[in-house]
Amino acid sequence: MELSGVMDLKIKKNVMYFLSPYGLGDTMILCGFKDALEKKYNCKIHFLIKSSHKIVMDMYKINDFDIIDMDKVDLFLLGDSTPEPELGKIFVAHPEFHKELMYLFNEINTSIGGEKTQFIEWYKKFLMLPQKTKFELPMWYPELSNYAKKKVKKLGGLEKIVVLIPEANSIKLYNKTIWKNIIKSNKQFKCITVVNERKNKIKGIRNLKLDLYDTVAIMLNAHSVYALRSGLCDLVANDIKNMTVIYSNPYFKDVYSLKSRNENIVEWVIKDEKKYDKKIKLKLFGILTILKIVKVNNSLKFYLFDILPLIKFEKKEQK
């Protein structure tokens, strides 16, 4: 059932409501601990999710959920009103919306070094579950629709396909050179992508523009997959036969690694390449570029007539 907001929800006093405000991976973890949570609280757990997360409910064969418009929910206000799970109340199932639990983020801070807590173990702490609690796996995976089957057949079949996933909410787009190198190393296959954002498209690569169900199905059955670490990786991690997951730094990998869930997963740590944050061009008569200034990460580069490098200023990072 799809609701416009939590105000439309018919609250039952003998049920606990867990609202999942973030990514696919977060919702999957909550589903994986649903049985443990129901045992802990001795009641039914009802999930409130984004419309795009329905696939997770289907994979776990969960019927106790409602779809809501998160944009119409004041998550911080809701978090303050229900600081812990309570019968007949909506609990925002993420520490960010509970001030007293913000300290937990120190354990998964990927911008600094130090010992990290694996994401699933971190969720156990947040949900106050014993560390020995078993994370349950999905009971069902989607199969290709007839629409997707026709597209796959034109490409020579699933065994001829390499899937590239160059977008993730958690990681900014890498320089496309990385993806071009992956394509070069897989010349004998048909490289495809399923990205949604125009900025993430890779020139010369077929974008099948599949829905989430077909995307999961093709990832699970293609020859191989190369993906930025995202919730999509969580959905397929346990059953995929050949996936390379790309992380932006070693600390990110420490927290979100999927290797323990499937030995067929390869993990790369690739520091992000140059991103041109800003370009300023000074033109003569609005046509001829006299000077170009490019801000690249922490440096400024000056070019004469758009192509001749003049000087570079770089701000040193503090150690």
Side-chain angles (χ1 to χ4, degrees):
M1 180 179 180
E2 185 162 0
L3 307 172
S4 61
V6 293
M7 297 301 293
D8 296 329
L9 187 66
K10 294 181 180 179
I11 298 289
K12 296 180 180 179
K13 294 183 179 180
N14 62 340
V15 173
M16 284 186 180
Y17 295 83
F18 277 60
L19 184 152
S20 181
Y22 278 137
L24 286 166
D26 299 85
T27 298
M28 183 177 180
I29 289 175
L30 292 174
C31 290
F33 288 136
K34 184 174 188 287
D35 289 347
L37 288 167
E38 290 184 337
K39 185 177 180 180
K40 174 182 173 69
Y41 294 109
N42 193 29
C43 70
K44 276 286 185 184
I45 300 294
H46 189 96
F47 289 125
L48 303 177
I49 62 168
K50 303 174 184 179
S51 59
S52 58
H53 291 195
K54 182 179 180 298
I55 186 174
V56 187
M57 302 296 123
D58 292 340
M59 288 170 61
Y60 277 89
K61 296 190 175 180
I62 292 174
N63 296 316
D64 303 317
F65 73 93
D66 279 299
I67 294 170
I68 64 170
D69 184 349
M70 296 290 173
D71 292 334
K72 295 184 178 180
V73 181
D74 188 331
L75 296 171
F76 288 99
L77 182 62
L78 196 57
D80 287 341
S81 67
T82 311
E84 60 184 40
E86 187 178 340
L87 284 171
K89 298 288 185 67
I90 298 172
F91 176 68
V92 183
H94 196 281
E96 181 170 343
F97 304 99
H98 303 280
K99 297 173 184 176
E100 68 280 6
L101 297 175
M102 290 299 288
Y103 71 92
L104 287 171
F105 284 98
N106 294 330
E107 300 181 21
I108 60 167
N109 187 343
T110 59
S111 64
I112 59 174
E115 189 174 346
K116 303 298 175 189
T117 301
Q118 268 267 312
F119 199 49
I120 288 181
E121 301 304 314
W122 185 75
Y123 253 100
K124 287 180 188 178
K125 288 186 179 182
F126 164 58
L127 297 170
M128 295 178 289
L129 293 171
Q131 288 302 296
K132 64 180 182 180
T133 303
K134 183 181 178 182
F135 173 69
E136 301 293 341
L137 302 179
M139 302 168 65
W140 172 86
Y141 288 99
E143 296 181 357
L144 286 175
S145 67
N146 290 331
Y147 168 80
K149 284 178 180 178
K150 290 178 182 178
K151 286 183 172 286
V152 166
K153 187 176 181 181
K154 290 180 180 179
L155 295 171
L158 287 165
E159 68 281 358
K160 296 290 185 182
I161 291 176
V162 171
V163 183
L164 309 184
I165 311 290
E167 67 181 15
N169 291 329
S170 55
I171 308 177
K172 293 181 180 179
L173 178 67
Y174 279 78
N175 187 300
K176 293 184 180 180
T177 301
I178 295 171
W179 303 103
K180 290 176 182 177
N181 289 336
I182 291 172
I183 293 163
K184 287 179 182 178
S185 64
N186 288 279
K187 284 183 177 180
Q188 68 272 39
F189 299 101
K190 298 287 186 180
C191 291
I192 63 110
T193 185
V194 288
V195 301
N196 297 313
E197 299 291 339
R198 182 183 297 274
K199 64 182 180 181
N200 293 334
K201 289 183 179 179
I202 303 170
K203 188 175 181 180
I205 298 302
R206 187 187 297 265
N207 185 352
L208 296 193
K209 297 180 181 178
L210 302 175
D211 66 17
L212 195 51
Y213 288 81
D214 276 331
T215 296
V216 169
I218 202 168
M219 288 175 72
L220 287 169
N221 294 285
H223 173 272
S224 55
V225 175
Y226 294 84
L228 288 184
R229 179 65 172 91
S230 70
L232 262 179
C233 300
D234 287 285
L235 296 191
V236 302
N238 291 93
D239 269 38
I240 202 159
K241 59 186 179 182
N242 186 0
M243 178 167 69
T244 298
V245 181
I246 302 172
Y247 300 84
S248 57
N249 68 55
Y251 313 130
F252 195 84
K253 176 177 172 290
D254 289 343
V255 173
Y256 299 101
S257 175
L258 297 169
K259 188 71 175 177
S260 62
R261 289 167 61 180
N262 188 335
E263 63 181 12
N264 293 322
I265 292 176
V266 175
E267 298 185 312
W268 292 351
V269 175
I270 302 178
K271 290 187 177 180
D272 204 352
E273 297 186 9
K274 297 173 182 176
K275 300 188 193 77
Y276 291 96
D277 298 319
K278 186 180 289 187
K279 293 182 181 179
I280 300 174
K281 292 185 178 183
L282 303 179
K283 294 187 177 184
L284 183 64
F285 304 120
I287 301 174
L288 178 64
T289 298
I290 302 175
L291 181 68
K292 180 173 74 173
I293 306 171
V294 181
K295 181 178 180 289
V296 184
N297 296 331
N298 292 320
S299 68
L300 285 175
K301 294 183 178 182
F302 294 80
Y303 296 84
L304 183 63
F305 300 122
D306 210 3
I307 57 172
L308 298 175
L310 290 175
I311 192 170
K312 175 182 176 182
F313 295 103
E314 188 163 0
K315 179 182 178 183
K316 292 184 178 180
E317 296 183 3
Q318 293 182 343
K319 294 183 179 180

